[in-house]
Amino acid sequence: MSKFLEDTLRGLKAEQKYLESKYFYDESGDELFREIMNCEDYYLTRCELEIFMQQREALVQAMYDRFHSFDVVELGAGDCSKSVYLLDALMGHNPRFTYFPIDISANTIAQVDTRVKARVPNIKIQGLNGDYFDMLDEMKRLSSRFKVVLFLGSSIGNIPLEHTVEFFKELHTHLLPGDLLLTGFDLVKDPQTILAAYNDRSGITRRFNLNLLDRINKSLGADFDTNNFEHSPVYCSDTQACKSYLESLADQTVQIAGESISFQKGERIYMEVSQKYTVEQTDEIATAAGFQPLQHFYDSKMWFLDALWQIPPRR
């Protein structure tokens, strides 16, 4: 049984049905997510892009204040539309570094070299396709330099808040004293602004979520009728989390690899969480996970934060 099938069946047999969001990103999912990032309601990309465009020299200086020889690792590289500004600025200071994009999508890794070299022609790139932590260990074999790890786009927001410190503690174990982490956090703001980002007027996020059912049909031989499900996001101010669901519009049964999965009308599949944070929370998370928070970089609206952390160097 493939891992994809195993994870899918486990999720759909749970009391609260769920699907793992890492499986959003096949070729169609990658393209839909690029559309989401460019749509008017999805402010996160614009806010973080502003930071990388307008504060890249400050970011570079903050890194070179700590050390002068390092490689850059990006977890979940995507289309590199933000990181390319930083990579270009770094090339102006020290062109000897290697850029290691890591992504679970083989389609993404296949395209990174072309995309980045179109903007930064002489950069050295070595793409790694797989799980973040496995590929970080592989990178240690490939390079002994200090690392600047990029974890952008509020990707951490897709991990439930109660597991956030645990994730960063695990990340810590794959890094070395002195290594830097630049990580994005979407900050708490008007609830309607947040909800609109995950329920855009163009319906792209709806298609993005339903695409996972199409992927299960194509890859696992299932028979989901996507017309029988509707995208249903909710934002809870108490927990500062936006949660996305697919809601069944009818009583129905879906076949997957010989297994029957029943849905009642109104029953929901939990698809993804998008957690929001206060600045104080991000500092507390850093400290609890063994990192030292160094600097905060904000967009002009103060809607988004890129936080620079370091694993304290040995003395």
Side-chain angles (χ1 to χ4, degrees), residues 197-256:
Y198 302 95
N199 196 26
D200 61 280
R201 287 164 287 185
S202 304
I204 305 168
T205 310
R206 175 182 178 275
R207 286 160 47 212
F208 177 67
N209 277 263
L210 289 170
N211 179 69
L212 181 46
L213 302 189
D214 283 331
R215 183 182 182 187
I216 292 170
N217 284 347
K218 287 183 285 189
S219 300
L220 304 180
D223 62 354
F224 276 104
D225 181 349
T226 56
N227 292 318
N228 283 341
F229 290 87
E230 187 52 75
H231 172 56
S232 177
V234 233
Y235 178 71
C236 179
S237 297
D238 291 344
T239 59
Q240 303 167 187
C242 191
K243 294 183 178 181
S244 293
Y245 298 88
L246 286 178
E247 183 174 326
S248 178
L249 300 179
D251 292 339
Q252 56 185 308
T253 300
V254 174
Q255 301 294 324
I256 307 176

Short mmCIF file of all heavy atoms in Angstrom, two decimals, residues 197-256:
data_model
loop_
_atom_site.label_atom_id
_atom_site.label_comp_id
_atom_site.label_asym_id
_atom_site.label_seq_id
_atom_site.Cartn_x
_atom_site.Cartn_y
_atom_site.Cartn_z
N ALA A 197 -9.18 35.61 2.58
CA ALA A 197 -7.97 35.06 1.98
C ALA A 197 -8.12 33.56 1.69
O ALA A 197 -7.43 33.02 0.81
CB ALA A 197 -6.77 35.29 2.90
N TYR A 198 -9.02 32.88 2.43
CA TYR A 198 -9.21 31.44 2.26
C TYR A 198 -10.57 31.11 1.66
O TYR A 198 -10.96 29.94 1.60
CB TYR A 198 -9.02 30.74 3.62
CG TYR A 198 -7.65 31.04 4.19
CD1 TYR A 198 -7.47 32.08 5.09
CD2 TYR A 198 -6.53 30.32 3.76
CE1 TYR A 198 -6.20 32.40 5.56
CE2 TYR A 198 -5.27 30.63 4.23
CZ TYR A 198 -5.11 31.68 5.13
OH TYR A 198 -3.86 32.00 5.59
N ASN A 199 -11.27 32.14 1.21
CA ASN A 199 -12.56 31.96 0.55
C ASN A 199 -12.69 33.04 -0.52
O ASN A 199 -13.65 33.80 -0.54
CB ASN A 199 -13.69 32.05 1.56
CG ASN A 199 -15.00 31.50 1.03
OD1 ASN A 199 -15.01 30.66 0.14
ND2 ASN A 199 -16.11 31.99 1.56
N ASP A 200 -11.67 33.10 -1.40
CA ASP A 200 -11.57 34.20 -2.35
C ASP A 200 -12.76 34.23 -3.30
O ASP A 200 -13.38 33.21 -3.62
CB ASP A 200 -10.26 34.09 -3.16
CG ASP A 200 -10.19 32.79 -3.95
OD1 ASP A 200 -9.87 31.74 -3.36
OD2 ASP A 200 -10.49 32.84 -5.15
N ARG A 201 -13.05 35.46 -3.75
CA ARG A 201 -14.21 35.68 -4.61
C ARG A 201 -14.09 34.97 -5.95
O ARG A 201 -15.10 34.67 -6.60
CB ARG A 201 -14.40 37.18 -4.83
CG ARG A 201 -14.92 37.92 -3.60
CD ARG A 201 -14.73 39.41 -3.71
NE ARG A 201 -13.33 39.79 -3.54
CZ ARG A 201 -12.90 41.04 -3.50
NH1 ARG A 201 -13.77 42.04 -3.61
NH2 ARG A 201 -11.62 41.31 -3.34
N SER A 202 -12.87 34.68 -6.39
CA SER A 202 -12.66 34.01 -7.67
C SER A 202 -12.86 32.49 -7.58
O SER A 202 -12.89 31.80 -8.60
CB SER A 202 -11.24 34.29 -8.19
OG SER A 202 -11.03 35.67 -8.28
N GLY A 203 -12.94 31.97 -6.36
CA GLY A 203 -13.16 30.54 -6.17
C GLY A 203 -11.93 29.67 -6.40
O GLY A 203 -12.04 28.45 -6.55
N ILE A 204 -10.74 30.29 -6.39
CA ILE A 204 -9.52 29.51 -6.66
C ILE A 204 -9.23 28.56 -5.50
O ILE A 204 -8.86 27.40 -5.70
CB ILE A 204 -8.32 30.45 -6.91
CG1 ILE A 204 -8.63 31.43 -8.04
CG2 ILE A 204 -7.07 29.62 -7.27
CD1 ILE A 204 -7.62 32.56 -8.17
N THR A 205 -9.41 29.05 -4.26
CA THR A 205 -9.15 28.19 -3.10
C THR A 205 -10.12 27.01 -3.08
O THR A 205 -9.74 25.89 -2.69
CB THR A 205 -9.24 28.99 -1.79
OG1 THR A 205 -8.44 30.16 -1.91
CG2 THR A 205 -8.75 28.17 -0.62
N ARG A 206 -11.34 27.25 -3.48
CA ARG A 206 -12.32 26.15 -3.60
C ARG A 206 -11.79 25.09 -4.56
O ARG A 206 -11.81 23.89 -4.26
CB ARG A 206 -13.66 26.71 -4.07
CG ARG A 206 -14.72 25.66 -4.34
CD ARG A 206 -16.01 26.30 -4.87
NE ARG A 206 -16.99 25.26 -5.18
CZ ARG A 206 -17.04 24.61 -6.33
NH1 ARG A 206 -16.17 24.90 -7.30
NH2 ARG A 206 -17.97 23.69 -6.53
N ARG A 207 -11.33 25.51 -5.73
CA ARG A 207 -10.81 24.57 -6.72
C ARG A 207 -9.56 23.86 -6.21
O ARG A 207 -9.33 22.67 -6.47
CB ARG A 207 -10.50 25.31 -8.03
CG ARG A 207 -11.76 25.70 -8.80
CD ARG A 207 -11.52 26.82 -9.80
NE ARG A 207 -10.33 26.60 -10.61
CZ ARG A 207 -9.55 27.59 -11.08
NH1 ARG A 207 -9.83 28.85 -10.79
NH2 ARG A 207 -8.51 27.29 -11.81
N PHE A 208 -8.73 24.58 -5.46
CA PHE A 208 -7.51 24.02 -4.90
C PHE A 208 -7.83 22.87 -3.94
O PHE A 208 -7.20 21.81 -3.98
CB PHE A 208 -6.76 25.13 -4.17
CG PHE A 208 -5.49 24.71 -3.47
CD1 PHE A 208 -4.39 24.28 -4.19
CD2 PHE A 208 -5.39 24.78 -2.09
CE1 PHE A 208 -3.21 23.91 -3.54
CE2 PHE A 208 -4.23 24.42 -1.44
CZ PHE A 208 -3.13 23.99 -2.16
N ASN A 209 -8.83 23.06 -3.08
CA ASN A 209 -9.22 22.02 -2.14
C ASN A 209 -9.86 20.84 -2.87
O ASN A 209 -9.55 19.68 -2.59
CB ASN A 209 -10.18 22.59 -1.10
CG ASN A 209 -9.46 23.28 0.04
OD1 ASN A 209 -9.23 22.70 1.08
ND2 ASN A 209 -9.09 24.54 -0.17
N LEU A 210 -10.76 21.12 -3.81
CA LEU A 210 -11.42 20.03 -4.54
C LEU A 210 -10.44 19.27 -5.43
O LEU A 210 -10.65 18.09 -5.73
CB LEU A 210 -12.57 20.60 -5.39
CG LEU A 210 -13.80 21.08 -4.60
CD1 LEU A 210 -14.76 21.83 -5.51
CD2 LEU A 210 -14.50 19.91 -3.93
N ASN A 211 -9.35 19.93 -5.82
CA ASN A 211 -8.34 19.25 -6.65
C ASN A 211 -7.75 18.03 -5.93
O ASN A 211 -7.35 17.06 -6.59
CB ASN A 211 -7.23 20.22 -7.03
CG ASN A 211 -6.15 19.56 -7.87
OD1 ASN A 211 -6.39 19.21 -9.02
ND2 ASN A 211 -4.97 19.38 -7.30
N LEU A 212 -7.71 18.07 -4.60
CA LEU A 212 -7.17 16.91 -3.88
C LEU A 212 -8.08 15.70 -4.06
O LEU A 212 -7.60 14.57 -4.18
CB LEU A 212 -6.99 17.24 -2.39
CG LEU A 212 -6.40 16.12 -1.53
CD1 LEU A 212 -5.19 15.46 -2.17
CD2 LEU A 212 -6.05 16.66 -0.14
N LEU A 213 -9.40 15.92 -4.14
CA LEU A 213 -10.31 14.80 -4.42
C LEU A 213 -10.06 14.27 -5.83
O LEU A 213 -10.06 13.05 -6.06
CB LEU A 213 -11.77 15.23 -4.26
CG LEU A 213 -12.19 15.79 -2.90
CD1 LEU A 213 -13.71 15.95 -2.86
CD2 LEU A 213 -11.71 14.92 -1.75
N ASP A 214 -9.83 15.18 -6.79
CA ASP A 214 -9.50 14.75 -8.16
C ASP A 214 -8.20 13.94 -8.17
O ASP A 214 -8.09 12.93 -8.87
CB ASP A 214 -9.33 15.97 -9.07
CG ASP A 214 -10.67 16.57 -9.49
OD1 ASP A 214 -11.66 15.82 -9.57
OD2 ASP A 214 -10.70 17.79 -9.72
N ARG A 215 -7.22 14.38 -7.37
CA ARG A 215 -5.94 13.65 -7.32
C ARG A 215 -6.15 12.24 -6.76
O ARG A 215 -5.56 11.27 -7.25
CB ARG A 215 -4.93 14.42 -6.48
CG ARG A 215 -3.57 13.74 -6.45
CD ARG A 215 -2.54 14.46 -5.57
NE ARG A 215 -1.27 13.76 -5.65
CZ ARG A 215 -0.22 14.05 -4.90
NH1 ARG A 215 -0.27 15.03 -4.02
NH2 ARG A 215 0.90 13.35 -5.03
N ILE A 216 -6.99 12.13 -5.72
CA ILE A 216 -7.28 10.81 -5.13
C ILE A 216 -7.97 9.92 -6.16
O ILE A 216 -7.67 8.73 -6.28
CB ILE A 216 -8.12 10.98 -3.86
CG1 ILE A 216 -7.28 11.65 -2.75
CG2 ILE A 216 -8.66 9.64 -3.36
CD1 ILE A 216 -8.08 12.09 -1.54
N ASN A 217 -8.88 10.51 -6.93
CA ASN A 217 -9.54 9.75 -8.01
C ASN A 217 -8.51 9.22 -9.01
O ASN A 217 -8.52 8.04 -9.37
CB ASN A 217 -10.56 10.63 -8.74
CG ASN A 217 -11.83 10.84 -7.95
OD1 ASN A 217 -12.09 10.15 -6.96
ND2 ASN A 217 -12.64 11.80 -8.37
N LYS A 218 -7.62 10.11 -9.48
CA LYS A 218 -6.67 9.73 -10.53
C LYS A 218 -5.60 8.77 -10.02
O LYS A 218 -5.23 7.81 -10.69
CB LYS A 218 -6.01 10.99 -11.11
CG LYS A 218 -6.93 11.81 -12.01
CD LYS A 218 -6.22 13.00 -12.62
CE LYS A 218 -6.00 14.11 -11.62
NZ LYS A 218 -5.52 15.36 -12.22
N SER A 219 -5.07 9.06 -8.81
CA SER A 219 -3.92 8.30 -8.32
C SER A 219 -4.31 7.03 -7.58
O SER A 219 -3.56 6.05 -7.57
CB SER A 219 -3.07 9.17 -7.39
OG SER A 219 -2.60 10.31 -8.07
N LEU A 220 -5.50 7.04 -6.93
CA LEU A 220 -5.86 5.92 -6.08
C LEU A 220 -7.10 5.18 -6.58
O LEU A 220 -7.60 4.28 -5.90
CB LEU A 220 -6.10 6.42 -4.64
CG LEU A 220 -4.93 7.18 -3.99
CD1 LEU A 220 -5.30 7.61 -2.57
CD2 LEU A 220 -3.65 6.34 -3.99
N GLY A 221 -7.59 5.58 -7.75
CA GLY A 221 -8.73 4.87 -8.34
C GLY A 221 -10.03 5.08 -7.58
O GLY A 221 -10.91 4.21 -7.61
N ALA A 222 -10.18 6.23 -6.91
CA ALA A 222 -11.41 6.52 -6.17
C ALA A 222 -12.48 7.06 -7.11
O ALA A 222 -12.22 7.32 -8.29
CB ALA A 222 -11.12 7.52 -5.05
N ASP A 223 -13.70 7.24 -6.57
CA ASP A 223 -14.79 7.75 -7.42
C ASP A 223 -15.51 8.93 -6.76
O ASP A 223 -16.74 9.02 -6.78
CB ASP A 223 -15.77 6.62 -7.76
CG ASP A 223 -16.46 6.01 -6.54
OD1 ASP A 223 -16.09 6.38 -5.39
OD2 ASP A 223 -17.36 5.17 -6.72
N PHE A 224 -14.74 9.84 -6.16
CA PHE A 224 -15.33 11.07 -5.63
C PHE A 224 -16.04 11.82 -6.75
O PHE A 224 -15.48 12.00 -7.85
CB PHE A 224 -14.25 11.99 -5.06
CG PHE A 224 -13.84 11.69 -3.65
CD1 PHE A 224 -12.63 11.05 -3.40
CD2 PHE A 224 -14.64 12.06 -2.58
CE1 PHE A 224 -12.22 10.78 -2.09
CE2 PHE A 224 -14.25 11.79 -1.27
CZ PHE A 224 -13.04 11.15 -1.03
N ASP A 225 -17.25 12.30 -6.48
CA ASP A 225 -17.93 13.25 -7.36
C ASP A 225 -17.75 14.62 -6.71
O ASP A 225 -18.39 14.93 -5.70
CB ASP A 225 -19.42 12.89 -7.48
CG ASP A 225 -20.17 13.84 -8.41
OD1 ASP A 225 -19.60 14.89 -8.78
OD2 ASP A 225 -21.33 13.54 -8.74
N THR A 226 -16.86 15.44 -7.28
CA THR A 226 -16.54 16.73 -6.64
C THR A 226 -17.74 17.68 -6.62
O THR A 226 -17.75 18.63 -5.84
CB THR A 226 -15.34 17.40 -7.34
OG1 THR A 226 -15.63 17.55 -8.73
CG2 THR A 226 -14.08 16.56 -7.17
N ASN A 227 -18.74 17.42 -7.46
CA ASN A 227 -19.96 18.24 -7.41
C ASN A 227 -20.76 18.01 -6.14
O ASN A 227 -21.64 18.79 -5.81
CB ASN A 227 -20.85 17.95 -8.63
CG ASN A 227 -20.22 18.41 -9.92
OD1 ASN A 227 -19.64 19.50 -9.99
ND2 ASN A 227 -20.30 17.59 -10.96
N ASN A 228 -20.43 16.93 -5.42
CA ASN A 228 -21.15 16.62 -4.18
C ASN A 228 -20.44 17.15 -2.93
O ASN A 228 -20.80 16.78 -1.82
CB ASN A 228 -21.31 15.10 -4.05
CG ASN A 228 -22.42 14.56 -4.95
OD1 ASN A 228 -23.27 15.31 -5.40
ND2 ASN A 228 -22.37 13.26 -5.22
N PHE A 229 -19.43 18.00 -3.14
CA PHE A 229 -18.70 18.59 -2.01
C PHE A 229 -18.54 20.09 -2.23
O PHE A 229 -18.42 20.56 -3.37
CB PHE A 229 -17.32 17.95 -1.85
CG PHE A 229 -17.38 16.52 -1.37
CD1 PHE A 229 -17.51 15.48 -2.29
CD2 PHE A 229 -17.32 16.22 -0.02
CE1 PHE A 229 -17.58 14.16 -1.87
CE2 PHE A 229 -17.38 14.90 0.42
CZ PHE A 229 -17.51 13.87 -0.51
N GLU A 230 -18.54 20.82 -1.12
CA GLU A 230 -18.37 22.28 -1.20
C GLU A 230 -17.30 22.74 -0.23
O GLU A 230 -17.23 22.25 0.91
CB GLU A 230 -19.70 22.99 -0.89
CG GLU A 230 -19.66 24.50 -1.13
CD GLU A 230 -19.14 24.87 -2.51
OE1 GLU A 230 -19.87 24.72 -3.51
OE2 GLU A 230 -17.97 25.30 -2.59
N HIS A 231 -16.48 23.67 -0.69
CA HIS A 231 -15.45 24.29 0.14
C HIS A 231 -16.10 25.13 1.24
O HIS A 231 -16.98 25.95 0.96
CB HIS A 231 -14.57 25.16 -0.76
CG HIS A 231 -13.57 26.00 -0.05
ND1 HIS A 231 -12.63 25.48 0.82
CD2 HIS A 231 -13.34 27.34 -0.08
CE1 HIS A 231 -11.87 26.46 1.29
NE2 HIS A 231 -12.29 27.60 0.76
N SER A 232 -15.66 24.92 2.50
CA SER A 232 -16.33 25.57 3.64
C SER A 232 -15.29 25.99 4.69
O SER A 232 -14.99 25.23 5.61
CB SER A 232 -17.35 24.60 4.24
OG SER A 232 -17.96 25.16 5.39
N PRO A 233 -14.73 27.22 4.57
CA PRO A 233 -13.76 27.69 5.56
C PRO A 233 -14.44 28.42 6.72
O PRO A 233 -15.51 29.00 6.55
CB PRO A 233 -12.89 28.67 4.76
CG PRO A 233 -13.83 29.21 3.72
CD PRO A 233 -14.87 28.15 3.45
N VAL A 234 -13.82 28.35 7.91
CA VAL A 234 -14.33 29.08 9.09
C VAL A 234 -13.15 29.71 9.82
O VAL A 234 -12.11 29.08 9.92
CB VAL A 234 -15.01 28.15 10.11
CG1 VAL A 234 -16.38 28.61 10.46
CG2 VAL A 234 -14.97 26.72 9.75
N TYR A 235 -13.33 30.95 10.32
CA TYR A 235 -12.30 31.58 11.13
C TYR A 235 -12.80 31.72 12.56
O TYR A 235 -13.91 32.21 12.79
CB TYR A 235 -11.90 32.96 10.60
CG TYR A 235 -10.85 33.62 11.48
CD1 TYR A 235 -9.54 33.14 11.49
CD2 TYR A 235 -11.18 34.70 12.31
CE1 TYR A 235 -8.58 33.70 12.31
CE2 TYR A 235 -10.21 35.27 13.12
CZ TYR A 235 -8.91 34.77 13.12
OH TYR A 235 -7.96 35.34 13.94
N CYS A 236 -11.99 31.27 13.52
CA CYS A 236 -12.35 31.36 14.94
C CYS A 236 -11.41 32.35 15.61
O CYS A 236 -10.21 32.11 15.72
CB CYS A 236 -12.23 29.98 15.60
SG CYS A 236 -12.63 30.02 17.36
N SER A 237 -11.97 33.46 16.06
CA SER A 237 -11.15 34.51 16.70
C SER A 237 -10.54 34.02 18.01
O SER A 237 -9.46 34.47 18.39
CB SER A 237 -12.00 35.76 16.95
OG SER A 237 -12.44 36.31 15.74
N ASP A 238 -11.23 33.12 18.71
CA ASP A 238 -10.72 32.64 20.00
C ASP A 238 -9.40 31.89 19.84
O ASP A 238 -8.49 32.04 20.64
CB ASP A 238 -11.74 31.72 20.68
CG ASP A 238 -12.98 32.47 21.14
OD1 ASP A 238 -12.90 33.72 21.21
OD2 ASP A 238 -13.99 31.83 21.42
N THR A 239 -9.31 31.08 18.80
CA THR A 239 -8.10 30.28 18.59
C THR A 239 -7.17 30.91 17.55
O THR A 239 -6.07 30.39 17.31
CB THR A 239 -8.46 28.86 18.13
OG1 THR A 239 -9.20 28.94 16.91
CG2 THR A 239 -9.28 28.14 19.18
N GLN A 240 -7.62 31.99 16.90
CA GLN A 240 -6.83 32.68 15.87
C GLN A 240 -6.50 31.75 14.71
O GLN A 240 -5.41 31.81 14.15
CB GLN A 240 -5.54 33.27 16.46
CG GLN A 240 -5.77 34.23 17.62
CD GLN A 240 -4.50 34.55 18.39
OE1 GLN A 240 -4.55 35.20 19.42
NE2 GLN A 240 -3.35 34.11 17.91
N ALA A 241 -7.44 30.88 14.35
CA ALA A 241 -7.18 29.90 13.30
C ALA A 241 -8.30 29.91 12.27
O ALA A 241 -9.48 29.97 12.62
CB ALA A 241 -7.05 28.50 13.90
N CYS A 242 -7.91 29.85 11.00
CA CYS A 242 -8.86 29.65 9.91
C CYS A 242 -8.76 28.19 9.50
O CYS A 242 -7.66 27.70 9.20
CB CYS A 242 -8.52 30.57 8.73
SG CYS A 242 -9.81 30.61 7.48
N LYS A 243 -9.88 27.48 9.49
CA LYS A 243 -9.87 26.06 9.14
C LYS A 243 -10.69 25.85 7.87
O LYS A 243 -11.78 26.41 7.72
CB LYS A 243 -10.45 25.23 10.29
CG LYS A 243 -9.58 25.26 11.54
CD LYS A 243 -10.12 24.36 12.64
CE LYS A 243 -9.20 24.38 13.86
NZ LYS A 243 -9.67 23.50 14.95
N SER A 244 -10.14 25.03 6.97
CA SER A 244 -10.82 24.74 5.71
C SER A 244 -11.39 23.32 5.75
O SER A 244 -10.72 22.39 6.19
CB SER A 244 -9.85 24.87 4.54
OG SER A 244 -9.46 26.22 4.38
N TYR A 245 -12.62 23.20 5.26
CA TYR A 245 -13.29 21.90 5.20
C TYR A 245 -13.88 21.71 3.80
O TYR A 245 -14.14 22.69 3.08
CB TYR A 245 -14.45 21.83 6.20
CG TYR A 245 -14.07 21.97 7.65
CD1 TYR A 245 -13.99 23.22 8.26
CD2 TYR A 245 -13.82 20.84 8.43
CE1 TYR A 245 -13.66 23.35 9.60
CE2 TYR A 245 -13.49 20.96 9.78
CZ TYR A 245 -13.40 22.22 10.35
OH TYR A 245 -13.08 22.34 11.68
N LEU A 246 -14.11 20.46 3.43
CA LEU A 246 -14.97 20.14 2.30
C LEU A 246 -16.22 19.48 2.88
O LEU A 246 -16.13 18.48 3.60
CB LEU A 246 -14.28 19.19 1.32
CG LEU A 246 -13.18 19.81 0.46
CD1 LEU A 246 -12.54 18.77 -0.43
CD2 LEU A 246 -13.73 20.97 -0.39
N GLU A 247 -17.38 20.06 2.60
CA GLU A 247 -18.64 19.59 3.18
C GLU A 247 -19.42 18.76 2.17
O GLU A 247 -19.59 19.17 1.01
CB GLU A 247 -19.47 20.79 3.63
CG GLU A 247 -20.77 20.41 4.31
CD GLU A 247 -21.51 21.61 4.86
OE1 GLU A 247 -20.85 22.58 5.30
OE2 GLU A 247 -22.75 21.58 4.84
N SER A 248 -19.87 17.60 2.63
CA SER A 248 -20.67 16.73 1.77
C SER A 248 -22.06 17.33 1.58
O SER A 248 -22.74 17.68 2.56
CB SER A 248 -20.79 15.33 2.39
OG SER A 248 -21.60 14.51 1.60
N LEU A 249 -22.49 17.43 0.32
CA LEU A 249 -23.79 18.02 0.01
C LEU A 249 -24.91 16.99 -0.04
O LEU A 249 -26.06 17.32 -0.30
CB LEU A 249 -23.72 18.77 -1.32
CG LEU A 249 -22.70 19.91 -1.37
CD1 LEU A 249 -22.69 20.56 -2.76
CD2 LEU A 249 -23.00 20.97 -0.30
N ALA A 250 -24.56 15.71 0.19
CA ALA A 250 -25.57 14.64 0.13
C ALA A 250 -25.08 13.43 0.92
O ALA A 250 -23.89 13.32 1.21
CB ALA A 250 -25.81 14.24 -1.32
N ASP A 251 -25.99 12.55 1.29
CA ASP A 251 -25.57 11.24 1.79
C ASP A 251 -24.95 10.50 0.60
O ASP A 251 -25.55 10.44 -0.49
CB ASP A 251 -26.79 10.45 2.29
CG ASP A 251 -27.41 11.05 3.55
OD1 ASP A 251 -26.71 11.81 4.25
OD2 ASP A 251 -28.60 10.76 3.81
N GLN A 252 -23.77 9.96 0.80
CA GLN A 252 -23.09 9.33 -0.34
C GLN A 252 -22.03 8.34 0.16
O GLN A 252 -21.60 8.40 1.33
CB GLN A 252 -22.43 10.39 -1.23
CG GLN A 252 -21.44 11.29 -0.49
CD GLN A 252 -20.89 12.39 -1.38
OE1 GLN A 252 -20.39 12.12 -2.47
NE2 GLN A 252 -21.01 13.63 -0.92
N THR A 253 -21.62 7.45 -0.73
CA THR A 253 -20.54 6.50 -0.44
C THR A 253 -19.51 6.58 -1.55
O THR A 253 -19.86 6.61 -2.73
CB THR A 253 -21.09 5.06 -0.34
OG1 THR A 253 -22.07 5.00 0.71
CG2 THR A 253 -19.96 4.09 -0.03
N VAL A 254 -18.24 6.64 -1.14
CA VAL A 254 -17.12 6.75 -2.08
C VAL A 254 -16.27 5.48 -1.97
O VAL A 254 -16.02 4.98 -0.87
CB VAL A 254 -16.26 8.00 -1.76
CG1 VAL A 254 -15.02 8.04 -2.65
CG2 VAL A 254 -17.09 9.27 -1.93
N GLN A 255 -15.87 4.96 -3.13
CA GLN A 255 -15.02 3.77 -3.17
C GLN A 255 -13.56 4.19 -3.37
O GLN A 255 -13.26 4.97 -4.28
CB GLN A 255 -15.44 2.84 -4.32
CG GLN A 255 -16.88 2.36 -4.23
CD GLN A 255 -17.13 1.46 -3.02
OE1 GLN A 255 -16.25 0.67 -2.64
NE2 GLN A 255 -18.30 1.58 -2.42
N ILE A 256 -12.67 3.66 -2.52
CA ILE A 256 -11.24 3.91 -2.67
C ILE A 256 -10.50 2.60 -2.45
O ILE A 256 -10.51 2.06 -1.34
CB ILE A 256 -10.71 4.96 -1.65
CG1 ILE A 256 -11.53 6.25 -1.70
CG2 ILE A 256 -9.24 5.27 -1.90
CD1 ILE A 256 -11.14 7.28 -0.65
#
